[in-house]
Amino acid sequence: MSTQFSVARPAVFSAQWDAKAETPLRAVVVGGSGQIGGWLFRYLAERGHQAVGTYSSQAFSDLIALDAADLDAVTALLRAERPDVVFYPAGFTWVDGCERDKARAYAANLEQPLHVARTAADLGARFVYFSTDYVFDGVKGRYSEDAPTNPLSVYGQAKYDAEVALAEALGDRLLTVRTCWVYGPERQGKNFSYQLIRALEQGKPMTCPSDQISSPSYGPDVARAVLLLVEAGASGLIHVVGPEIMDRVRFARAIARAFDLDESLITATPTAELGQGAPRPLNAGLLIDRLESCKPGLMRSLDAALEDFRAKLGAPELRSWLAPALTTRS
């Protein structure tokens, strides 16, 4: 798979984020109820774009129902909307579940997005696919976009195979974004940070792998960076993750401190003792030199992002939109 990357209009990156986009887009966000998709959908509106977002299982009043496995429904939606760009932050991301159900893993992470992408391309639209650091084996760590891939799990292999198939089908109409360990405020409240906060607030212990290393990535920042890339006409492959690479225990303890919770409840256990169904790339993490060369500082540090996480949970304009993390709603 080619790892090339290009930005057609880099001057767009100099615009203020709170300004409207230079050229309004028509967009479809497949998976607009998810932790990245939700922010994409919201930020598209803030930037003056026209967007339609979809959900699969959990309904939201501002989104429409769509089963990506229903190829006729997908085709009908895209033909009706005639988008300039289709974002696809959907998929089957439960790593152990993918290991047990390879057919579902490939259907959700490769076959369905490939159909959506081909239909979008036939209509002249661009396509944005979200991949993962699980395409690497975690031996060397700190991977650039050009580093050799070697997936260990069904999930990682399905994602890599999708990267290849989409690149072959779409060429420069494709932007592939690799991200990992996404955390922060979201509509469904399902990500690791929510699980951790809720457990610690209830005084329950939380076991974290001591030897899994990667890049914590703040969901709102991922969505913002990806939208700016799309506005700039970007294509190819790019890593969009947080600037720090750390182990899961350090990550968890930082979240606990940010929310004034008892970090002593977090216990460190080697991956080999956790009985996880799928192998993990232990020494992973992604480099963002390519993103930094386009726009430095888009991805905030963990501490700065956690401060924003807490602020967003308490923001009046977001109270009815975000899932609460703390019962005190602070």
Side-chain angles (χ1 to χ4, degrees):
M1 187 191 80
S2 171
T3 60
Q4 291 183 345
F5 174 78
S6 66
V7 177
R9 295 176 287 120
V12 171
F13 278 14
S14 64
Q16 293 295 319
W17 172 252
D18 56 2
K20 297 296 183 182
E22 185 180 87
T23 304
L25 298 169
R26 293 176 61 90
V28 170
V29 182
V30 179
S33 60
Q35 57 181 334
I36 294 176
W39 286 107
L40 278 170
F41 183 64
R42 189 176 186 91
Y43 285 159
L44 281 159
E46 287 185 9
R47 295 284 286 168
H49 303 299
Q50 181 178 332
V52 169
T54 76
Y55 70 87
S56 175
S57 56
Q58 183 167 342
F60 291 94
S61 61
D62 53 350
L63 304 176
I64 63 174
L66 179 71
D67 179 359
D70 186 339
L71 304 187
D72 290 339
V74 168
T75 301
L77 173 65
L78 295 186
R79 286 178 177 171
E81 296 300 327
R82 308 292 301 192
D84 301 301
V85 58
V86 176
F87 298 89
Y88 202 95
F92 184 33
T93 59
W94 180 27
V95 180
D96 294 335
C98 286
E99 204 70 15
R100 292 197 289 266
D101 192 344
K102 183 177 180 179
R104 181 181 175 188
Y106 269 80
N109 295 317
L110 190 159
E111 295 159 13
Q112 292 163 18
L114 184 59
H115 171 75
V116 176
R118 285 172 170 161
T119 304
D122 288 345
L123 296 170
R126 292 180 284 154
F127 189 77
V128 183
Y129 183 70
F130 289 81
S131 191
T132 171
D133 65 341
Y134 275 57
V135 300
F136 299 107
D137 58 19
V139 174
K140 292 185 176 180
R142 303 184 67 83
Y143 294 103
S144 71
E145 289 87 352
D146 296 322
T149 56
N150 185 30
L152 300 177
S153 63
V154 169
Y155 172 67
Q157 189 67 56
K159 283 290 191 177
Y160 176 70
D161 289 348
E163 289 183 8
V164 173
L166 287 163
E168 290 175 350
L170 273 68
D172 62 6
R173 288 189 179 276
L174 173 69
L175 176 64
T176 296
V177 175
R178 288 182 185 148
T179 193
C180 51
W181 283 15
V182 179
Y183 69 97
E186 49 131 332
R187 304 186 78 174
Q188 296 190 48
K190 293 165 58 176
N191 66 45
F192 171 74
S193 54
Y194 275 86
Q195 296 172 37
L196 176 72
I197 291 166
R198 289 167 178 163
L200 298 187
E201 188 186 24
Q202 295 170 27
K204 298 178 180 178
M206 187 78 164
T207 299
C208 294
S210 58
D211 52 354
Q212 292 183 22
I213 297 171
S214 194
S215 307
S217 305
Y218 187 52
D221 286 358
V222 174
R224 180 177 61 161
V226 170
L227 181 50
L228 286 172
L229 287 166
V230 168
E231 290 178 359
S235 64
L237 173 66
I238 190 167
H239 293 169
V240 181
V241 298
E244 297 136 319
I245 295 175
M246 65 185 65
D247 64 70
R248 179 74 77 164
V249 176
R250 178 183 163 196
F251 175 37
R253 288 175 177 164
I255 296 171
R257 288 193 298 273
F259 284 86
D260 301 318
L261 298 169
D262 185 0
E263 62 181 284
S264 70
L265 291 169
I266 299 167
T267 58
T269 302
T271 298
E273 298 179 12
L274 293 176
Q276 294 176 314
R280 266 65 172 174
L282 298 184
N283 183 23
L286 303 177
L287 299 177
I288 56 171
D289 295 354
R290 186 169 284 180
L291 178 62
E292 286 288 296
S293 70
C294 298
K295 177 63 176 178
L298 275 181
M299 304 303 294
R300 282 172 283 190
S301 69
L302 178 60
D303 287 345
L306 287 172
E307 182 178 353
D308 186 73
F309 184 1
R310 188 157 184 168
K312 279 183 167 56
L313 288 176
E317 68 274 17
L318 295 173
R319 283 183 179 273
S320 62
W321 192 78
L322 290 174
L326 294 164
T327 56
T328 54
R329 196 60 199 232
S330 59

